[in-house]
Amino acid sequence: YFSTNGRNAPGGIKLFSSSANAHDSYAEALAQDGQNDLALKNYLKAVSLAADQELYNLAGFQQNLKAFQAANK
């Protein structure tokens, strides 16, 4: 789990470090908190993990990344 106030909850994202979904969700929370640099890193990590793991929902992670980038030009 994670918090949206910029501080990781105990164990936080590290507990799910190989989970594309965890990185994607964390990126969304970071973006909502205005931490766009960290959000971008986590969106990119989500896409990378999904591609490496050949996940069926890779396109969804890619779309989330594109939407974030478009909104933060």
Side-chain angles (χ1 to χ4, degrees), residues 1 20 23-25 32 39 41 47 55-56 62 65 67 71-72:
Y1 58 94
H23 283 279
D24 185 74
S25 295
Q32 289 176 358
K41 288 178 184 179
V47 169
L55 298 180
Y56 72 94
Q62 291 169 326
L65 172 59
N72 291 283

Side-chain angles (χ1 to χ4, degrees), residues 27-51:
E28 183 179 353
L30 289 166
Q32 289 176 358
D33 193 45
Q35 298 184 57
N36 291 342
D37 290 341
L38 286 174
L40 177 59
K41 288 178 184 179
N42 279 276
Y43 277 122
L44 290 168
K45 183 69 173 180
V47 169
S48 175
L49 287 169

Side-chain angles (χ1 to χ4, degrees), residues 17 39 54:
S17 64
E54 300 179 1

